[in-house]
Amino acid sequence: YNNPKNSLTASYLNGEAQIAETDTHRSPDESTEYLTLLGASEHNLKDIDIRIPLGHMVTLTGVSGSGKSTLVQDVLFNALSKLKGRPEEIPGAHKAIIGHELIDDVVMLNQAPIGKSSRSNPVSYVGAWDAIRKRLANAPLAIERGYKPGTFSFNAGNGRCPTCNGSGFEHVEMQFLSDVYLRCPDCNGRRYRNEILEVKLSGKSVADVLKLTVSEALAFFKDEKDIHKVLEPLQAVGLSYLRLGQPVPTLSGGEAQRLKLAGYLAKSGKKKKVGDKLLFLLDEPTT
C-alpha cells in the first residue's frame, strides 16, 4: 500500500470503485431539501458557504486545523440552537442560515464524558431502568413484602446497601494521585441489601440484571416490549457488549458518544409525536 495507485481510497476517488445505491443508501437528488450556511467567518474560516443535504449521512473532512469543529460546533450548532429557542453559546460569525425551518431541533454528539457519577449507567441513561424496577416490584415475593419500584433504586431508598449507598464501591480520594474505587465489603459490589436480592425475575436478582450485557438483556426481556424498545438503540449503535450497570465514567469517548445517540433514539421512540426531524451533529465519530 505504499504505492498510492494501490490505495483503496484512491479507487473511490478516481471512480474505479463505487458504492451501490439502495433504498436506504442514496445520493441527494432533485427532491432533497438542504440546510444552507452562508458566510461562516469564525477563527480561520474565510467567508465559507456550505449546503447540507437533509435526510442523509454527510461527512465534513479536512486536515487538522482546517476549521471543521469551528464550522460544525461553534457556528452551525450554536446558531441553530439559538434559532430553536435554546441558545448554548454565542454563535460564531456567519451571515445567515437558510432552511432551518426544515428541522425541529439540533443535537450535538461529541466525545465529552457524560458525567462523573458512578451511579449513572447505560440502562438508566436510555430510560429502561424504571420499567425494569416495576417488573421487579411485581414479582410475587416483592408484592408479599410490600416492595415498590423505588425499593429497587440504588440512588435512594432503603433497598440499597447502606455502606456504599448503592454505588457498589467506596470512593477513596488519593490527594495528588488518581482516586481509587474499592469494592464495597458489605454488599460485595452488588449495591443492594441481601433481602432485596432475594426477589427474582426468572431466577435473576436486581444485581444479576445489572450484570447482563445489552444483548443478554434483550434476550432476557424478549417478551417485554416496552423494555425491549428502549434497549434496542443500544444494540443498534454497537453497544451490545456493554453491561446494563456499567458505570458511565468507565466508557471510552467513542462509547460515550454512541450512548448519547442511543439515548436520543430511545427517547424519540417513546414519544407519541411522530415526525420530528432532528439534525445530529457528530464531532469526530468513531468507525
Side-chain angles (χ1 to χ4, degrees):
Y1 289 98
N2 291 330
N3 187 343
K5 294 182 180 180
N6 297 328
S7 166
L8 180 60
T9 303
S11 298
Y12 285 95
L13 292 177
N14 61 28
E16 293 179 1
Q18 294 182 342
I19 299 176
E21 292 192 11
T22 65
D23 291 338
T24 58
H25 186 120
R26 63 191 186 281
S27 298
D29 53 30
E30 295 179 356
S31 64
T32 301
E33 296 177 316
Y34 287 85
L35 181 69
T36 304
L37 172 63
L38 300 175
S41 305
E42 187 72 7
H43 298 319
N44 56 344
L45 299 176
K46 307 301 181 184
D47 196 26
I48 293 176
D49 299 338
I50 62 168
R51 281 207 318 161
I52 302 172
L54 299 176
H56 296 266
M57 177 74 77
V58 181
T59 304
L60 179 67
T61 63
V63 298
S64 178
S66 59
K68 301 184 297 296
S69 294
T70 297
L71 183 65
V72 173
Q73 184 161 357
D74 297 349
V75 181
L76 185 60
F77 173 68
N78 289 334
L80 286 173
S81 296
K82 183 178 179 180
L83 288 169
K84 297 306 174 183
R86 48 170 195 81
E88 298 279 338
E89 297 181 7
I90 299 175
H94 67 288
K95 295 177 181 176
I97 293 184
I98 301 173
H100 60 84
E101 68 280 355
L102 298 173
I103 64 172
D104 296 295
D105 206 352
V106 59
V107 178
M108 188 71 201
L109 300 176
N110 55 29
Q111 295 193 17
I114 293 175
K116 296 182 179 180
S117 174
S118 60
R119 298 178 184 278
S120 180
N121 50 42
V123 69
S124 61
Y125 192 85
V126 297
W129 191 230
D130 289 344
I132 292 175
R133 288 191 290 119
K134 288 180 181 178
R135 298 298 186 278
L136 287 161
N138 287 330
L141 183 58
I143 295 175
E144 179 183 329
R145 294 179 177 179
Y147 292 164
K148 303 298 181 184
T151 307
F152 298 94
S153 171
F154 47 76
N155 288 321
N158 297 323
R160 61 180 181 170
C161 171
T163 302
C164 63
N165 290 325
S167 67
F169 297 87
E170 291 184 319
H171 179 201
V172 181
E173 294 186 5
M174 298 296 289
Q175 299 297 332
F176 299 106
L177 301 176
S178 298
D179 292 352
V180 174
Y181 293 88
L182 302 176
R183 187 184 298 271
C184 177
D186 287 347
C187 68
N188 194 30
R190 293 171 70 82
R191 299 176 182 248
Y192 297 90
R193 296 175 181 269
N194 288 332
E195 57 267 28
I196 304 300
L197 297 175
E198 293 173 357
V199 176
K200 302 291 179 67
L201 280 180
S202 301
K204 293 188 182 297
S205 68
V206 58
D208 295 329
V209 171
L210 287 171
K211 288 183 179 179
L212 293 174
T213 64
V214 172
S215 58
E216 291 171 344
L218 285 169
F220 185 74
F221 293 108
K222 61 182 179 180
D223 297 325
E224 308 285 351
K225 292 184 178 179
D226 53 342
I227 298 176
H228 214 270
K229 181 184 296 185
V230 184
L231 290 178
E232 280 179 340
L234 289 170
Q235 186 176 51
V237 299
L239 295 178
S240 59
Y241 59 89
L242 286 187
R243 298 194 181 278
L244 300 187
Q246 181 171 338
V248 162
T250 65
L251 303 181
S252 68
E255 288 172 334
Q257 188 178 37
R258 283 180 280 162
L259 181 57
K260 293 175 187 178
L261 178 58
Y264 278 100
L265 295 175
K267 290 175 185 175
S268 64
K270 290 192 295 184
K271 289 182 179 179
K272 293 182 180 180
K273 183 180 179 182
V274 179
D276 277 357
K277 296 180 180 179
L278 300 182
L279 176 64
F280 290 99
L281 304 176
L282 286 77
D283 185 28
E284 296 186 0
T286 62
T287 55

